[in-house]
């Protein structure tokens, strides 16, 4: 079972920041937080991951609370092409055969 | 880098036939690949873990004799849906993890199977 809880849907105006929350209160010390997104009828796309420090890349920023029980993915300037289902997943980083377990995710709709 | 391909992208078949789906890691070696299934408006459900040179590990409720998995090389895993029925119609997605690397997994574009 997924160890994360996300709101089922969110709307965001084009050009504004999209802040997607995720609760993972039972996260273990060796588990990372991964974010993926899935655009309709495509395979999931990796966005970012982190352990306890905030992370930023060309796609997004990841803010993890100090107690690591929740995190927020930030898309700084959302575009229509960012409309997708966003999945927050916790998993050990060097884990051999451990698969990623997907929850229900958040359906983000970016509105013009 | 880290590109995963699937073939075919879409297949329509008659009930009772078998369908093979290929998953390839194009620019890296993948000792482990994973197969997922996704029904409309649902999340991805893990079907099995495919390990190069050994038998796949299936999730509870997934019939190993119906969904045959072969991982014959470090860049190719195949999923064969045997004696397909309409209820097997789904979106099948594979992912691969870089051998010896961290757990970022890279996903294929998916295969849409429709069984008539």
């Amino acid at each position: 079972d997924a160890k994360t809880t996300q709101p089922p849907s969110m709307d965001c105006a084009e050009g504004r920041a999209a802040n997607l929350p995720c609760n993972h209160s039972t996260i273990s010390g060796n588990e990372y937080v991964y974010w993926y997104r899935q655009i309709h009828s495509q395979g999931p796309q990796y966005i970012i991951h982190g352990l306890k420090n905030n992370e930023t890349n060309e796609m997004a920023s990841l803010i993890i609370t100090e107690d690591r029980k929740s995190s927020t993915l930030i898309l700084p300037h959302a575009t229509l092409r960012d409309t997708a289902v966003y999945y927050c997943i916790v998993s050990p980083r060097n884990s051999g055969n451990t698969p990623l377990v997907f929850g229900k995710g958040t359906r983000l709709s970016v509105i013009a | 880098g880290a590109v995963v391909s699937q073939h075919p992208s879409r297949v329509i078949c008659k009930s009772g036939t078998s369908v093979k789906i290929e998953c390839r890691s194009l620019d890296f070696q993948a000792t482990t690949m994973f197969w997922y299934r996704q029904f409309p408006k649902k999340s991805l459900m893990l079907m099995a873990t495919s390990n190069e040179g050994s038998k796949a590990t299936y999730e509870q409720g997934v019939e190993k004799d119906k969904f045959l998995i072969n991982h014959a090389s470090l860049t190719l895993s195949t999923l064969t849906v045997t004696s397909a029925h309409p209820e097997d119609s789904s979106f099948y997605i594979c992912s691969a993890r870089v051998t010896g690397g961290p757990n970022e997994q890279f996903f294929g574009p998916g295969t849409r199977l429709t069984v008539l």
Side-chain angles (χ1 to χ4, degrees):
Chain A
D1 291 338
K3 295 177 64 174
T4 61
T5 304
Q6 299 176 253
S9 64
M10 292 181 64
D11 291 339
C12 177
E14 188 179 20
R16 304 298 291 268
N19 298 288
L20 293 93
C22 179
N23 286 323
H24 32 79
S25 59
T26 61
I27 191 170
S28 301
N30 68 335
E31 289 181 319
Y32 283 65
V33 180
Y34 292 85
W35 283 84
Y36 284 76
R37 73 179 182 184
Q38 186 179 25
I39 296 170
H40 183 62
S41 294
Q42 297 183 23
Q45 176 190 19
Y46 166 80
I47 301 173
I48 199 168
H49 75 276
L51 180 63
K52 55 183 179 180
N53 296 322
N54 298 338
E55 303 287 345
T56 295
N57 62 20
E58 64 278 4
M59 290 183 68
S61 294
L62 174 59
I63 309 297
I64 302 174
T65 58
E66 192 169 341
D67 63 7
R68 302 209 322 125
K69 293 185 177 182
S70 65
S71 61
T72 301
L73 178 76
I74 301 172
L75 308 179
H77 305 287
T79 71
L80 297 178
R81 286 177 292 183
D82 292 322
T83 293
V85 179
Y86 287 76
Y87 295 98
C88 168
I89 302 168
V90 297
S91 185
R93 184 155 196 238
N94 296 305
S95 58
N97 288 346
T98 302
L100 296 177
V101 177
F102 287 77
K104 296 181 178 180
T106 295
R107 183 174 298 275
L108 176 68
S109 298
V110 180
I111 303 167
Chain B
V3 177
V4 176
S5 70
Q6 282 184 240
H7 178 79
S9 58
R10 185 182 297 267
V11 57
I12 300 172
C13 69
K14 293 182 179 180
S15 186
T17 61
S18 294
V19 175
K20 179 185 285 188
I21 302 170
E22 294 185 347
C23 176
R24 293 182 185 272
S25 55
L26 298 186
D27 49 3
F28 65 100
Q29 293 185 335
T31 305
T32 303
M33 292 183 175
F34 303 95
W35 286 96
Y36 295 81
R37 179 169 53 182
Q38 185 175 34
F39 293 106
K41 298 189 184 300
K42 299 295 185 181
S43 186
L44 284 76
M45 293 177 50
L46 179 68
M47 298 177 67
T49 300
S50 170
N51 297 299
E52 187 265 338
S54 64
K55 291 183 179 180
T57 302
Y58 291 82
E59 294 299 298
Q60 191 172 12
V62 178
E63 300 175 59
K64 63 181 178 171
D65 294 329
K66 180 169 184 62
F67 298 99
L68 301 180
I69 292 172
N70 184 279
H71 193 154
S73 78
L74 288 173
T75 59
L76 173 65
S77 175
T78 60
L79 169 68
T80 301
V81 183
T82 63
S83 186
H85 288 96
E87 57 265 31
D88 298 323
S89 297
S90 188
F91 193 48
Y92 291 87
I93 306 169
C94 72
S95 72
R97 176 176 168 268
V98 177
T99 298
N103 200 23
E104 291 91 296
Q105 292 175 21
F106 302 96
F107 288 80
T111 296
R112 174 80 56 194
L113 171 63
T114 302
V115 185
L116 302 177

